[in-house]
Amino acid sequence: MIPLPPLDRIGRLQRLRATFDQAGIKALVVTDLANIRYLTGFTGSAAIVIVGGDDDMMFITDGRYRFMATDQMAAAGVVGDLVVDQPAGQMAALAKRCAGERVGFEAGHVTVARRTALEQATGLMVPTSGLVEGLRRRKDAGEVARIRQAAEIAAQVFTEVTGAITSTTTELEIAVAMEAQMRLAGAEGPAFDTIVAAGPNGANAHAEPASVAVGTMPVVVDFGATVDGYRSDTTRTIATGAVGAEIAEAWAAVHAAQQAGVALLTAGRPTHEIDHACRRVLAEAGLEEHFSTGTGHGVGLVIHEDPFIRR
């Protein structure tokens, strides 16, 4: 595998701090784990990060992640005060750090119970929306390289696995083979649970693979790989035998709609224009009523993230 370029997490923290004045805050309590990974490199399942001005940062976690947090922050070049404690001690540290300041919290990632606990511990908390996600919308070279490698692994495995299937192969066998081969090819694992859906089951966007032979029906395969936390997402429709004219025409219309959208993918383009271009093609083919989802979405540390391409 090609070595991946480093990720500029220091730059990310600086860009995040630059949003504080407009948000009316002096610091931000980050609780979403994808956002924490984006800022610090931490891959564990329990952490709170308080990002303040200048070089001020506090990382709070529990004893399970003392060494992981230390090692991953050091590898990322991120410097901050590390607090390792039980929940009561964590909230005490948070309260002491945030006392007397207007501190933001991630409204989209905090339950009512957690907001109550934060406000009891710290006093004034200001809801914010999308401060870190706004940074994540634009991928840097290191992120693009990881997504590209994830997509290349997934594409390679798809070709290998689907090239060997027959009419007696089941949906589940295809899904299991895809996920195992992605790991063997260098991925951390699948980007999400692989979807394999034959025949009418293909109309279910999030169908679960079953022990059902695919036969000669069209098969929808929705799959992706993960490389260093970054994910790819691809959907393909295949068949083990000949397909009828109606299916072939529908496939051609979907492909034409996709290409119409791809042609408009330029920086600064309003996403609804891309969605409309795809829908026009399908409307001309008499298929618009069957297009009940959004056209697309960004990928990154989570499988569905900004920007979303919708009406």
Side-chain angles (χ1 to χ4, degrees), residues 62-271:
D62 60 55
R64 295 172 296 168
Y65 295 117
R66 177 189 300 274
F67 302 114
M68 177 188 284
T70 300
D71 294 344
Q72 291 181 335
M73 288 171 63
V78 174
V79 177
D81 296 327
L82 178 63
V83 175
V84 179
D85 209 334
Q86 297 299 310
Q90 293 179 11
M91 296 308 289
L94 182 65
K96 182 177 180 180
R97 164 60 189 81
C98 297
E101 288 189 339
R102 283 177 60 87
V103 179
F105 69 92
E106 298 181 298
H109 304 293
V110 174
T111 63
V112 173
R114 173 163 266 192
R115 176 176 183 173
T116 300
L118 288 172
E119 290 182 334
Q120 289 176 345
T122 64
L124 179 61
M125 296 292 292
V126 180
T128 67
S129 178
L131 295 187
V132 181
E133 289 86 347
L135 304 180
R136 285 170 49 191
R137 292 181 81 247
R138 179 175 296 182
K139 304 300 190 282
D140 60 32
E143 293 176 293
V144 171
R146 286 158 174 78
I147 295 169
R148 177 177 289 116
Q149 192 169 103
E152 289 172 348
I153 289 172
Q156 169 195 328
V157 168
F158 171 78
T159 299
E160 293 171 353
V161 172
T162 59
I165 67 175
T166 68
S167 60
T168 60
T169 307
T170 68
E171 294 175 345
L172 186 59
E173 287 171 338
I174 296 170
V176 169
M178 289 277 295
E179 295 188 355
Q181 290 300 318
M182 282 191 281
R183 289 182 182 275
L184 293 174
E188 295 173 17
F192 50 92
D193 290 340
T194 301
I195 297 167
V196 181
N201 203 26
N204 298 318
H206 286 177
E208 296 182 359
S211 296
V212 176
V214 299
T216 58
M217 300 180 290
V219 183
V220 176
V221 186
D222 191 352
F223 60 99
T226 303
V227 171
D228 197 22
Y230 285 85
R231 301 163 193 267
S232 69
D233 187 0
T234 306
T235 307
R236 293 284 181 266
T237 301
I238 60 174
T240 59
V243 298
E246 183 180 18
I247 292 173
E249 290 169 4
W251 185 95
V254 172
H255 183 259
Q258 180 198 52
Q259 293 306 302
V262 169
L264 294 183
L265 288 175
T266 56
R269 174 83 63 180
T271 56

Side-chain angles (χ1 to χ4, degrees), residues 283-295:
E284 291 169 359
L287 296 171
E288 186 180 21
E289 66 178 292
H290 302 293
F291 190 11
S292 59
T293 66
T295 289

